[in-house]
Amino acid sequence: QVQLVESGGGLVQAGGSLRLSCANFGRIFSINAMGWYRQAPGKQRELVAIISNGGNTNYADSVKGRFTISRDNAKNTVYLQMNSLKPEDTANYICNAVQGILTYWGQGTQVTVSS
């Protein structure tokens, strides 16, 4: 079973940077894609970025050019480098993994951007 643990969230001023990490402590094979979603209070969960096994990436329009998703298969970890952060990026960032027809979620890490 896949077990996802996020870290790296925190409080940062607008224009600052953070790097989120998501480690997979469970079964590591047959993961098709991993990604990051976020959910702000009162809003729906939205896709931020996703990376496939082959390294193909996809980003939400709102973060293109500012966020970069990457994965280290040797460490079973996916990262989200977030630069030029804006107050509207404030949310709980949640790691996601797709394994065949199954989807797994982490607990999330809070990112708060002050203006």
Side-chain angles (χ1 to χ4, degrees):
Q1 186 174 356
V2 175
Q3 183 180 3
L4 305 174
V5 179
E6 303 99 331
S7 61
L11 174 64
V12 64
Q13 287 188 333
S17 298
L18 283 173
R19 189 177 82 152
L20 306 183
S21 299
C22 173
N24 171 13
F25 289 103
R27 291 177 57 171
I28 61 173
F29 48 89
S30 301
I31 297 288
N32 302 113
M34 295 187 72
W36 289 94
Y37 286 70
R38 66 186 180 187
Q39 188 165 19
K43 294 187 177 181
Q44 289 189 333
R45 186 173 294 185
E46 62 174 358
L47 173 68
V48 176
I50 191 167
I51 184 166
S52 71
N53 255 354
N56 295 320
T57 59
N58 193 28
Y59 297 90
D61 287 342
S62 59
V63 307
K64 282 181 181 177
R66 300 189 298 122
F67 291 11
T68 303
I69 189 170
S70 61
R71 63 193 293 174
D72 184 334
N73 291 329
K75 295 182 179 180
N76 306 319
T77 300
V78 63
Y79 303 97
L80 185 68
Q81 178 66 43
M82 305 186 296
N83 298 328
S84 302
L85 282 161
K86 304 175 181 180
E88 51 264 45
D89 294 318
T90 295
N92 187 36
Y93 283 71
I94 307 158
C95 184
N96 165 274
V98 176
Q99 185 185 49
I101 62 172
L102 302 176
T103 300
Y104 298 91
W105 298 95
Q107 293 297 310
T109 184
Q110 179 67 33
V111 172
T112 302
V113 184
S114 63
S115 56

